[in-house]
């Protein structure tokens, strides 16, 4: 009975040993037989090479086919060369504000101050003056007169039988600062029927170059 139990125990142990997976040796390294052997070989190569020698610390890459090598070469050629040169030279030179020699040749602070003072001494202060007053008291305002007329500038309505009327108008109109003032004086002096001061040579009722069109346009826009 004991012998049969012992036989069963031995059989069970054998089956357990067969089912247990094999654990790989982590000390064997990757790509070579033994990492310990590789490390010892590397130390010997470093000692033999001396200071400053370059020794590869990794095993050589496995060879690839020619097509893979060609793809790697094409990819490397397609990468632009962005390396910065060892020395960068500026052909145009540095700006004057960064060049001490250029700044030293310019004017000093005292010279600049003297030039500013000289410019200020030449300034001329212009005092504002009052605007000229418009004449008042005319019997007919420009707006009222403009809206009461319908003829255009240069279209005669009143008779002007005075020789040399155009030359006289040019001389007399030059005495007025603006056409509005000339027209006001013209109406005050008996215009448009009379041309006492010779301001309306063509007889259209408008002195000098005065034009009633802006007044008519403003009244028309307001009514609309």
């Amino acid at each position: 009975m004991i012998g049969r139990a012992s036989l069963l125990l031995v059989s069970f142990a054998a089956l357990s040993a067969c089912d247990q997976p094999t654990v790989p040796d982590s000390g064997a390294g990757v790509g070579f037989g033994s990492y310990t052997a590789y490390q010892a070989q590397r130390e010997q190569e470093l000692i033999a090479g001396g200071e400053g020698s370059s020794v590869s610390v990794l095993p050589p890459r496995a060879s690839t086919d020619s097509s893979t090598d060609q793809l790697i070469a094409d990819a490397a050629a397609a990468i632009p060369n962005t390396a910065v040169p060892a020395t960068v030279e500026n052909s145009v030179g540095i700006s004057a504000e960064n060049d001490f020699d250029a700044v030293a040749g310019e004017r000093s602070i005292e010279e600049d101050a003297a030039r500013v003072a000289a410019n200020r001494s030449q300034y001329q202060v212009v005092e504002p003056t009052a605007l000229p007053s418009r004449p008042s008291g005319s019997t007919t305002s420009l707006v009222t007169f403009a809206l009461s007329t319908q003829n255009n500038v240069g279209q005669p309505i009143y008779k002007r039988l005075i020789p040399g009327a155009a030359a006289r108008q040019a001389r007399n109109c030059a005495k007025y600062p603006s056409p509005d003032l000339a027209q006001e004086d013209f109406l005050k002096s008996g215009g448009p029927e009379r041309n006492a001061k010779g301001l309306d040579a063509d007889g259209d009722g408008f002195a000098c170059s005065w034009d009633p069109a802006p007044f008519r346009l403003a009244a028309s826009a307001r009514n609309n």
Side-chain angles (χ1 to χ4, degrees):
M1 188 64 145
I2 296 177
R4 186 175 180 181
S6 300
L7 181 60
L8 291 175
L9 183 59
V10 172
S11 300
F12 179 76
L15 291 175
S16 300
C18 294
D19 294 338
Q20 185 176 2
T22 303
V23 178
D25 185 8
S26 59
V30 180
F32 41 84
S34 174
Y35 180 77
T36 303
Y38 169 74
Q39 187 176 15
Q41 180 182 358
R42 175 176 174 276
E43 292 178 355
Q44 293 179 1
E45 291 177 354
L46 290 174
I47 296 174
E51 184 178 0
S53 61
S54 177
V55 181
S56 176
V57 298
L58 295 176
R61 182 176 59 87
S63 62
T64 59
D65 54 5
S66 59
S67 61
T68 303
D69 293 338
Q70 185 63 35
L71 290 176
I72 296 175
D74 295 342
I79 299 175
N81 185 11
T82 57
V84 179
T87 58
V88 179
E89 297 183 359
N90 187 357
S91 59
V92 298
I94 60 178
S95 62
E97 63 182 4
N98 295 324
D99 189 353
F100 180 77
D101 295 334
V103 175
E106 297 179 355
R107 296 188 304 270
S108 64
I109 298 177
E110 291 77 8
E111 292 173 344
D112 286 340
R115 175 166 296 192
V116 171
N119 292 335
R120 288 179 177 175
S121 64
Q122 299 177 2
Y123 291 167
Q124 295 182 359
V125 180
V126 178
E127 297 293 339
T129 58
L131 295 176
S133 59
R134 298 175 61 89
S136 60
S138 59
T139 57
T140 305
S141 67
L142 295 182
V143 177
T144 303
F145 177 75
L147 298 181
S148 66
T149 61
Q150 296 180 355
N151 63 308
N152 297 324
V153 175
Q155 182 180 354
I157 296 179
Y158 308 96
K159 294 181 180 181
R160 307 293 189 221
L161 300 177
I162 301 176
R168 182 188 178 193
Q169 175 181 332
R171 291 193 304 268
N172 293 340
C173 286
K175 301 176 182 179
Y176 296 93
S178 67
D180 287 345
L181 294 177
Q183 182 67 19
E184 286 182 348
D185 194 16
F186 171 66
L187 296 176
K188 184 178 179 180
S189 302
E193 290 82 3
R194 296 177 56 190
N195 187 27
K197 296 186 177 181
L199 302 179
D200 181 21
D202 55 4
D204 60 357
F206 310 134
C208 303
S209 58
W210 187 79
D211 188 356
F215 300 95
R216 298 172 183 173
L217 182 61
S220 176
R222 183 184 61 182
N223 295 331
N224 293 335

